[in-house]
Amino acid sequence: MEYAVIFLPLLGSVVTYFGKKLGTLFSQIFSCLMVSIAAIMSFIIFYNGLIYDNYGNYLIFEWIQSGNLKVNWSIKIDPLSSIMIMVVTSVSALVHIYSIGYMSHDPHKPRFMSYLSLFTFSMLCLVVSDNFLQLFFGWEGVGLCSYLLIGFWFKRETANNAAIKAFIVNRVGDFGLAIGIFIIFLIFGTLNFEEIFAEVSNFTKTNLSFFGGEYNAITLICVFLFIGAMGKSAQFFLHTWLPDAMEGPTPVSALIHAATMVTAGVFLVVRCSPIFEYSQVAMNLVAIIGMITALFAASVALVQNDIKKIIAYSTCSQLGYMFFAAGVGAYHIAMFHLFTHAFFKALLFLGAGSVIHSFKEEQDITKMGGVWKKIPYTMVLMLIGTLALTGFPFLSGFYSKDAIIEFAYLKGTSVGYYASALGIFTAFLTAIYSWRLFFKTFFGSYNNKSISIEKTHESPLVMIAPLIVLAIGAIFAGYFFKDLFLGNDTTYWGDSILFLNYIKLENIPLWLILITPIIITIAIPISYYLFIKDKTILNGVKNSNIPLYNFLVNKWYIDEIYDFIFINPLKRIGIFFWKKGDQDTIDRFGPDGISKVIKYVSNKAIKFQSGYIYDYAFVMLIGLSALITFLILN
């Protein structure tokens, strides 16, 4: 079963891609069937682990054996990986089914379904790895698939640019991850998780010379691993690819943001908790970057108008929560939020896809509104996703997000207090932009001049059904799994996560329990009044050109800064070498120069082909003279 759950999506991808002649319907059904069976098996694996403690390491084959390096291709099933398998396969199966309806008018459906299945397989390879090399294979696999899917509509220049941007930015993070893996092998002499984790405590005092300085080896490893996580999970500084990735089809966005790719960075940090626990510097770095990311993305989402980009920045912000949870040592809570987030974020993205489908590919929320009666099922399902995202009491996001804030406060450190305060403020911003999206999409006046409201329609059942399943998860996942994942007496995590100083969620101040639910509840009428009832206040803010509004609209000017520091100088260097190097030197004296010489000689030579005997006799005489001269000299 463990082998099947990993390789069924790969089988679905290969057969779907190379079996195009079998028909579009076959490709859709077969790929959906393979991933759905894998999803069912993942629930069985999770159940067997939970009830019967049925975990293990399943060898596929011996991969590399060279000197001290011995790496197998294995399937590591433990409490951590079993959760990830369940999340990846279940969300992927729903996205596959949803894609049947959403991509119904696309001429390249088999290729799309194949890429989705390959994406799922790559992520599964990553989460079940028992060594860093196999993890890196899956890591690069999801990067490749994201490139293929973001740029799926390759005839759009914006899609191609977004795919290239995602690929390049992720290469920066992947370079950091690779350096971290190199240092791990240098220090430990192995890449296998169990061998490394067992020896970490023996190397806490080991230093390495790096760029002229002496640094703690464990801290260096953690920092470079986290750089890799920053790239994949779109943390501040390496986040710029994520909003542009919305150029891909909406099911791609749901899969990337809810179950694959961006969750890989969080998984990496949690998987490596036995290393991070021995470097307080690295943990503080993780927490600080997570805090900045949560605030940055939430603030930018306030002024976005593209429905998918708002949800994309929301993902970025929620990932920030997960990282600062891990940074204060709450790895299990980070995983719990990843788990609940998968349901409501997939629900929101696929719900946005249903809205876009109804509006004939329109994504600007300022050109929507007043359609809640036309698409009531989508509206209700988006309402559930919005409530869960904002952390409304007793929905899934309430249990996981509040637990992050509470644990950060109970940590009792400066970083913990800052994280808790910033988490509360970000929760308020999250509520504002989430309700802004909801109200402007479904309520108020109808603002689309291109499509009459009569032409908007509800999505087909094949798209609505996956949303209903996700809505059930968004409502109940937090309540039913909170004690298992977060309970003070839980033994679920076992050895899959290391806690040197475990802090129990108890004796929480009453004000801390109440403050977040209160502010997110207050945000609902505030949002309705500002965005629907009386827009003059916000219009006045926009027209005043105050620095803060422009600052947010321009996404903190991060892209402009990168253009100034990196992109434009590199372009100028590239153009210089292209013109002076390639054109003026290599081409001029190379192929172009040689071709000019040959052309010149040919033009002169054809003059001897005149048809007159004396011209031919002259050429023969010249040739004979040259031959005699050559023979005499030699």
Side-chain angles (χ1 to χ4, degrees):
M1 184 183 299
E2 289 76 12
Y3 296 97
V5 78
I6 306 302
F7 289 105
L8 281 176
L10 178 62
L11 176 64
S13 176
V14 173
V15 172
T16 299
Y17 189 84
F18 292 103
K20 296 176 183 178
K21 294 182 180 179
L22 297 175
T24 298
L25 182 61
F26 170 82
S27 68
Q28 292 174 320
I29 293 176
F30 187 78
S31 58
C32 290
L33 183 63
M34 292 297 100
V35 178
S36 298
I37 293 173
I40 294 169
M41 290 181 174
S42 72
F43 281 95
I44 297 173
I45 290 172
F46 177 79
Y47 178 82
N48 288 339
L50 179 64
I51 303 301
Y52 304 110
D53 197 32
N54 188 13
Y55 299 116
N57 197 324
Y58 303 88
L59 178 67
I60 300 175
F61 59 84
E62 294 182 356
W63 191 9
I64 299 173
Q65 188 166 358
S66 177
N68 294 330
L69 178 62
K70 184 178 180 181
V71 176
N72 295 329
W73 193 281
S74 302
I75 300 174
K76 179 181 178 67
I77 302 297
D78 66 355
L80 182 58
S81 63
S82 64
I83 291 174
M84 290 300 298
I85 293 171
M86 185 168 60
V87 169
V88 172
T89 54
S90 57
V91 172
S92 179
L94 294 172
V95 169
H96 273 71
I97 296 168
Y98 177 92
S99 298
I100 294 176
Y102 190 86
M103 301 295 287
S104 59
H105 302 297
D106 193 276
H108 306 292
K109 290 184 280 291
R111 179 164 62 90
F112 181 77
M113 302 301 286
S114 176
Y115 287 169
L116 284 183
S117 296
L118 184 62
F119 206 161
T120 306
F121 167 72
S122 298
M123 189 64 186
L124 290 172
C125 285
L126 190 159
V127 300
V128 301
S129 56
D130 76 337
N131 61 79
F132 279 101
L133 196 59
Q134 183 182 338
L135 181 143
F136 193 75
F137 173 87
W139 195 270
E140 294 301 300
V142 294
L144 169 64
C145 293
S146 69
Y147 172 81
L148 296 173
L149 286 167
I150 293 170
F152 180 78
W153 287 322
F154 56 86
K155 293 183 180 180
R156 297 182 183 177
E157 185 179 358
T158 52
N160 287 325
N161 291 339
I164 293 170
K165 186 175 184 179
F167 197 77
I168 292 174
V169 173
N170 271 275
R171 293 290 71 72
V172 177
D174 295 353
F175 183 65
L177 176 60
I179 293 176
I181 294 174
F182 296 154
I183 299 175
I184 286 172
F185 187 70
L186 176 66
I187 298 298
F188 297 97
T190 181
L191 295 178
N192 297 314
F193 291 150
E194 290 187 4
E195 297 174 10
I196 294 167
F197 297 161
E199 295 293 325
V200 173
S201 60
N202 298 326
F203 292 92
T204 54
K205 303 298 183 182
T206 303
N207 291 331
L208 280 180
S209 296
F210 192 80
F211 281 105
E214 287 285 327
Y215 302 95
N216 181 268
I218 300 300
T219 297
L220 274 179
I221 289 169
C222 292
V223 168
F224 282 111
L225 291 179
F226 180 57
I227 290 173
M230 286 173 63
K232 274 291 180 289
S233 294
Q235 293 300 281
F236 193 69
F237 295 124
L238 295 179
H239 68 276
T240 54
W241 67 270
L242 193 63
D244 291 352
M246 298 303 99
E247 288 294 335
T250 301
V252 176
S253 303
L255 194 58
I256 289 177
H257 288 249
T260 63
M261 189 126 175
V262 297
T263 62
V266 179
F267 172 79
L268 174 65
V269 172
V270 175
R271 171 61 81 194
C272 295
S273 60
I275 306 177
F276 278 87
E277 279 289 284
Y278 289 96
S279 176
Q280 190 59 49
V281 173
M283 290 185 68
N284 288 342
L285 175 65
V286 173
I288 291 169
I289 294 295
M291 285 188 281
I292 295 172
T293 305
L295 177 62
F296 158 77
S299 65
V300 173
L302 290 171
V303 296
Q304 295 295 308
N305 290 324
D306 186 307
I307 188 170
K308 287 172 65 177
K309 285 192 176 182
I310 296 171
I311 303 174
Y313 277 111
S314 170
T315 299
C316 198
S317 182
Q318 297 306 305
L319 289 166
Y321 272 99
M322 297 176 207
F323 275 109
F324 80 65
V328 297
Y331 306 102
H332 57 318
I333 303 179
M335 285 304 302
F336 184 42
H337 193 50
L338 185 154
F339 175 74
T340 59
H341 176 263
F343 291 104
F344 58 74
K345 188 49 58 70
L347 174 60
L348 284 171
F349 262 116
L350 297 184
S354 181
V355 172
I356 294 167
H357 182 78
S358 301
F359 277 91
K360 310 297 184 184
E361 306 306 313
E362 178 59 66
Q363 296 183 197
D364 190 341
I365 61 173
T366 62
K367 297 178 181 179
M368 299 178 184
V371 293
W372 68 274
K373 290 183 178 179
K374 297 292 292 182
I375 47 175
Y377 299 120
T378 299
M379 186 273 292
V380 170
L381 293 166
M382 286 282 283
L383 174 62
I384 294 170
T386 301
L387 289 169
L389 170 62
T390 58
F392 195 80
F394 311 117
L395 273 75
S396 59
F398 166 74
Y399 294 101
S400 56
K401 187 187 292 185
D402 279 26
I404 292 175
I405 295 170
E406 290 161 4
F407 190 99
Y409 180 84
L410 294 176
K411 184 73 173 178
T413 63
S414 297
V415 172
Y417 288 138
Y418 283 124
S420 180
L422 207 60
I424 293 170
F425 180 65
T426 303
F428 177 71
L429 297 183
T430 302
I432 294 293
Y433 72 68
S434 298
W435 289 113
R436 172 178 178 264
L437 181 153
F438 181 77
F439 288 136
K440 288 181 77 68
T441 300
F442 296 104
F443 293 90
S445 58
Y446 184 77
N447 299 309
N448 196 303
K449 297 180 180 178
S450 302
I451 310 164
S452 64
I453 193 170
E454 288 76 18
K455 292 185 178 180
T456 58
H457 57 85
E458 189 61 89
S459 298
L461 181 62
V462 72
M463 293 173 62
I464 294 297
L467 295 179
I468 295 173
V469 176
L470 290 169
I472 294 171
I475 296 171
F476 298 111
Y479 176 78
F480 283 109
F481 287 91
K482 61 182 175 63
D483 291 330
L484 176 65
F485 292 162
L486 307 185
N488 291 328
D489 299 321
T490 183
T491 58
Y492 172 75
W493 298 103
D495 297 330
S496 63
I497 297 177
L498 175 65
F499 301 97
L500 289 181
N501 297 298
Y502 183 75
I503 297 176
K504 293 185 177 181
L505 287 172
E506 56 186 12
N507 299 321
I508 304 169
L510 181 62
W511 67 267
L512 186 60
I513 296 174
L514 296 178
I515 186 170
T516 304
I518 289 173
I519 63 172
I520 64 169
T521 304
I522 292 173
I524 300 175
I526 292 175
S527 299
Y528 183 80
Y529 182 81
L530 291 176
F531 302 118
I532 300 297
K533 194 72 174 177
D534 185 2
K535 300 180 182 179
T536 56
I537 298 174
L538 291 178
N539 290 333
V541 172
K542 293 178 182 179
N543 296 329
S544 65
N545 291 321
I546 61 173
L548 178 60
Y549 178 75
N550 292 328
F551 182 68
L552 296 180
V553 167
N554 289 284
K555 300 165 288 188
W556 291 23
Y557 295 100
I558 300 298
D559 283 304
E560 288 77 6
I561 293 171
Y562 283 177
D563 284 344
F564 179 76
I565 297 175
F566 300 113
I567 308 302
N568 293 331
L570 288 174
K571 279 184 178 179
R572 287 194 291 269
I573 292 171
I575 291 171
F576 172 80
F577 281 111
W578 168 49
K579 290 187 175 180
K580 298 297 182 182
D582 283 3
Q583 289 187 336
D584 295 349
T585 303
I586 297 174
D587 289 348
R588 180 181 177 187
F589 298 104
D592 290 348
I594 294 172
S595 63
K596 286 180 180 180
V597 171
I598 292 173
K599 184 177 181 180
Y600 176 80
V601 173
S602 299
N603 290 335
K604 294 298 182 183
I606 61 174
K607 293 182 179 180
F608 292 107
Q609 305 293 327
S610 63
Y612 295 107
I613 295 176
Y614 53 79
D615 284 334
Y616 296 127
F618 177 71
V619 173
M620 294 171 65
L621 181 61
I622 293 296
L624 180 62
S625 300
L627 178 61
I628 293 171
T629 302
F630 175 77
L631 293 174
I632 291 173
L633 292 176
N634 289 279

